[in-house]
C-alpha cells in the first residue's frame, strides 16, 4: 500500500486525461480543470487535492479530493434542493457545493489515483444529476459518509454533511 504523491497523481492524470490542465500549488497540492460529458451536457470540472501528511489526524472525508462543477453551475430543483453534494461549512450560501462521491463499497483512499477513481465517479455523478434534473428523482447511490441504510435511498432522505 503506497501513498501516492502529488507528482504521482499529476503524472497519472496527464497519461489518462492529457487535455486536462493542472496547477501544482505546492509540494502536496494540485488543482485540475477539464471537461466531462457523461450524457448531453459538457461540464467544466475542477478537482482540488492535497496529499495529507502522515501524521495528520484525518478522516477519509477530510482527505478525499474535492470536485466542483464550474460550468454550467449545478442547479437546485424548484424546492431549492440539490441532492448528494457537500456544502462549505454545511451552508448552501457559503459557496459552491462539491460532489459527494462517497461509495461504501469502495472507499476512496490516498493510495488511489484520481484519474482511475475520482474522475470516473464524477462522470457517473453527473450522469445521475442529468437524470435528476429531468425526473426530480435521484436514481444513483445517495448515502453520505457515516450514514447507515440503503445506498440507493433518495438523496432527499440523506443528510447533507458538512465539509
Amino acid at each position: 500500500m503506497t501513498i501516492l504523491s502529488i507528482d504521482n497523481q499529476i503524472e497519472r492524470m496527464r497519461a489518462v486525461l492529457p487535455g486536462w490542465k493542472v496547477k501544482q500549488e505546492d509540494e502536496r497540492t494540485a488543482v485540475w480543470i477539464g471537461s466531462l460529458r457523461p450524457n448531453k451536457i459538457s461540464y467544466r470540472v475542477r478537482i482540488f487535492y492535497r496529499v495529507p501528511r502522515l501524521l495528520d489526524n484525518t478522516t477519509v472525508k477530510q482527505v478525499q479530493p474535492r470536485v466542483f462543477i464550474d460550468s454550467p453551475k449545478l442547479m437546485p430543483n424548484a424546492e431549492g434542493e440539490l441532492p448528494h453534494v457537500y456544502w462549505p461549512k454545511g451552508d448552501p450560501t457559503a459557496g459552491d457545493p462539491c460532489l459527494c462521491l462517497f461509495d461504501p463499497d469502495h472507499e476512496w483512499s490516498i493510495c488511489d489515483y484520481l484519474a482511475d477513481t475520482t474522475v470516473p465517479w464524477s462522470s457517473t455523478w453527473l450522469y445521475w444529476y442529468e437524470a435528476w434534473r429531468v425526473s426530480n428523482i435521484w436514481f444513483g447511490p445517495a448515502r453520505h459518509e457515516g450514514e447507515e441504510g440503503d445506498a440507493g435511498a433518495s438523496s432527499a432522505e440523506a443528510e447533507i454533511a458538512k465539509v
Side-chain angles (χ1 to χ4, degrees), residues 75-90:
M75 299 298 297
N77 64 11
E79 292 80 37
E81 300 167 329
L82 184 57
H84 213 42
V85 296
Y86 292 118
W87 294 97
K89 301 177 182 149

Side-chain angles (χ1 to χ4, degrees), residues 13 21 31 33 56 63 77 91 103 106 110 114-115 130 132 140-141 158:
M13 285 286 280
K21 305 293 183 216
V31 177
I33 296 176
D56 287 348
V63 299
N77 64 11
D91 179 0
D103 181 347
H106 179 89
I110 57 177
L114 304 177
E130 287 188 30
W132 172 79

Side-chain angles (χ1 to χ4, degrees), residues 55-101:
L55 298 177
D56 287 348
N57 185 18
T58 58
T59 66
V60 171
K61 183 179 155 200
Q62 291 170 324
V63 299
Q64 66 185 322
R66 300 284 188 252
V67 179
F68 300 91
I69 306 304
D70 289 335
S71 68
K73 292 288 186 189
L74 299 176
M75 299 298 297
N77 64 11
E79 292 80 37
E81 300 167 329
L82 184 57
H84 213 42
V85 296
Y86 292 118
W87 294 97
K89 301 177 182 149
D91 179 0
T93 65
D96 292 332
C98 65
L99 307 186
C100 175
L101 302 177

Side-chain angles (χ1 to χ4, degrees), residues 41-149:
I41 300 169
S42 182
Y43 297 89
R44 183 172 181 250
V45 177
R46 178 172 33 101
I47 299 174
F48 170 88
Y49 180 59
R50 175 176 290 132
V51 178
R53 291 185 183 102
L54 284 177
L55 298 177
D56 287 348
N57 185 18
T58 58
T59 66
V60 171
K61 183 179 155 200
Q62 291 170 324
V63 299
Q64 66 185 322
R66 300 284 188 252
V67 179
F68 300 91
I69 306 304
D70 289 335
S71 68
K73 292 288 186 189
L74 299 176
M75 299 298 297
N77 64 11
E79 292 80 37
E81 300 167 329
L82 184 57
H84 213 42
V85 296
Y86 292 118
W87 294 97
K89 301 177 182 149
D91 179 0
T93 65
D96 292 332
C98 65
L99 307 186
C100 175
L101 302 177
F102 174 69
D103 181 347
D105 297 325
H106 179 89
E107 189 172 276
W108 188 85
S109 156
I110 57 177
C111 303
D112 289 335
Y113 285 106
L114 304 177
D116 300 335
T117 56
T118 302
V119 172
W121 293 349
S122 298
S123 184
T124 301
W125 190 101
L126 288 164
Y127 175 84
W128 294 124
Y129 169 77
E130 287 188 30
W132 172 79
R133 291 289 301 155
V134 172
S135 67
N136 207 35
I137 298 169
W138 187 266
F139 293 103
R143 184 173 16 165
H144 290 275
E145 178 189 34
E147 288 184 346
E148 299 297 324

